[in-house]
Amino acid sequence: MTTPVPPVTEPDPSVHTCSGDLVGPCAKCQRKTHKYGRGGCPLCQWCMTPAMAKWGPGVRYATARG
Ligand SMILES: [Zn+2]
């Protein structure tokens, strides 16, 4: 089961639901993603999904501290 990942020039869908000043580059692939503020994440969803599979839901808080 493979999910096609859009090119990194495509912003993460999350940017459409947050304000523009909360958008920043993904820590891994530099794709635009909802990075800052409430609900933000340093990784885009395409990088976050395999990270969560590997490290579990807590990865978000672990990476946010780095
Ligand atoms: Zn990414």
Side-chain angles (χ1 to χ4, degrees), residues 8 26-31 43-48:
V8 296
C26 166
K28 188 175 178 185
C29 72
Q30 314 302 308
R31 181 196 311 277
L43 294 173
C44 71
Q45 70 176 48
W46 312 111
C47 296
M48 181 52 104

Side-chain angles (χ1 to χ4, degrees), residues 15 17-25 33-38 40:
V15 306
T17 58
C18 75
S19 63
D21 60 343
L22 300 180
V23 174
T33 190
H34 178 192
K35 184 171 185 176
Y36 306 107
R38 184 181 177 87

